[in-house]
Amino acid sequence: MSTVSQERHERTPMTKRNATFWFGPILSVLIGFAYLGACLAAGKPALGVVMMLLMFLCAGAVIVSSRYSETLRGLMDHRDERLRGIDVTATTFAGTVLILVVLGSFIVSLAQGHSGDPYGWMAAVTGVSYVGAVIYLRIRR
Amino acid sequence: MSSVRNEVRALRSARGLSQADLAGAMGVSRQTINSIEKERYTPSLPLAISLARYFRTNVEEVFHVDGEPGTP
C-alpha cells in the first residue's frame, strides 16, 4: 500500500477539467458555426451543415479521447508544465512550417507573374506580429 | 553544457509510491514524472521545489547539476 505525505499541495488533481480544457472544443464549435454561415452566404447550405457537424464531431471526439489519453488532456488543460512546453514547441514548429509555405507560395506567385496576394499580406502580418510579440515580451520579461 | 541528474526515482521508490501517486500529489502527469526520472525532462523551479518539499528535503539533495560554473 502506498504512503502519501500528509502535507497537502495546493494543486488541482489531474482528473478535474479546468476552464482552459474547454477552449479547444468551444473553438471547434464556433468554427463549425462560422463554416455554416460562410456556406449559407455562398448558397451551399448542405455543405455548411456537413462542415459544421464535422467540427462538432471533432470537438466531441477530443473530449471523449481526453479521458483515455493523458497527453491529449494535458495539451487541452495546460495544467502539466511539460505538456505545456511540448505544446509551445509544436506550435512554434508548425508556425515555422506555415511561414515557409506562405513565403514559398508568395515567391511562386510572383514568378508566375501574379501580384503575390494573399501570400504577401499573410507574410507581412506574420512578420509584424512577430516583431510586436518580441517588443512586448522584451518589456514584460 | 551542464546536465541535471536527480534522485526522484530513488526517493519515490523508498516511499513505496508509484509514478501515478507522485504525479497526482504534484499535479502533473505520470508521463512527466517518468520523464523527470529518466532525466529527459528538467522540471521548472516551482515543481523542483515542490518535489523537494514533498520528499522533506532540499532541492540540492534531489537535483544535481553537472558541469556547473564555479564547481570543480
Side-chain angles (χ1 to χ4, degrees):
Chain A
M1 183 174 177
S2 63
T3 59
V4 180
S5 170
Q6 295 300 313
E7 183 179 330
R8 305 301 292 176
H9 293 264
E10 297 299 323
R11 290 176 181 264
T12 310
M14 289 294 290
T15 52
K16 291 187 178 179
R17 294 170 177 166
N18 58 10
T20 309
F21 175 91
W22 296 105
F23 178 78
I26 290 174
L27 183 63
S28 293
V29 169
L30 292 177
I31 291 174
F33 283 123
Y35 285 163
L36 176 64
C39 289
L40 287 175
K44 298 179 180 179
L47 177 62
V49 171
V50 169
M51 293 181 72
M52 181 185 70
L53 292 178
L54 278 175
M55 293 307 296
F56 287 2
L57 188 63
C58 284
V62 165
I63 291 172
V64 172
S65 300
S66 70
R67 298 185 63 181
Y68 304 100
S69 169
E70 198 175 44
T71 299
L72 185 56
R73 184 167 57 250
L75 290 173
M76 291 174 69
D77 65 20
H78 279 196
R79 189 176 289 131
D80 182 278
E81 61 175 50
R82 173 176 159 271
L83 288 170
R84 274 202 309 272
I86 289 173
D87 186 23
V88 169
T89 303
T91 300
T92 301
F93 175 75
T96 302
V97 170
L98 181 61
I99 289 170
L100 291 175
V101 169
V102 167
L103 288 175
S105 300
F106 178 66
I107 292 170
V108 169
S109 178
L110 287 180
Q112 291 174 338
H114 303 301
S115 66
D117 287 343
Y119 307 112
W121 287 108
M122 292 168 67
V125 169
T126 302
V128 170
S129 298
Y130 178 78
V131 171
V134 168
I135 293 173
Y136 174 78
L137 293 171
R138 166 72 173 76
I139 295 171
R140 288 294 303 271
R141 292 187 182 177
Chain B
M1 189 173 183
S2 59
S3 62
V4 179
R5 295 179 293 107
N6 68 74
E7 309 293 337
V8 174
R9 171 163 290 181
L11 291 166
R12 175 180 62 78
S13 300
R15 287 158 177 76
L17 296 171
S18 66
Q19 288 184 341
D21 289 335
L22 182 57
M26 291 294 103
V28 298
S29 65
R30 188 202 59 79
Q31 297 172 10
T32 295
I33 295 299
N34 186 53
S35 290
I36 291 173
E37 291 182 354
K38 291 186 175 179
E39 298 173 358
R40 285 200 309 250
Y41 175 71
T42 302
S44 67
L45 186 57
L47 179 56
I49 291 174
S50 286
L51 281 166
R53 286 178 177 174
Y54 184 81
F55 292 125
R56 300 188 187 280
T57 183
N58 53 45
V59 175
E60 290 81 4
E61 297 295 324
V62 183
F63 298 93
H64 315 290
V65 180
D66 296 330
E68 189 174 3
T71 58

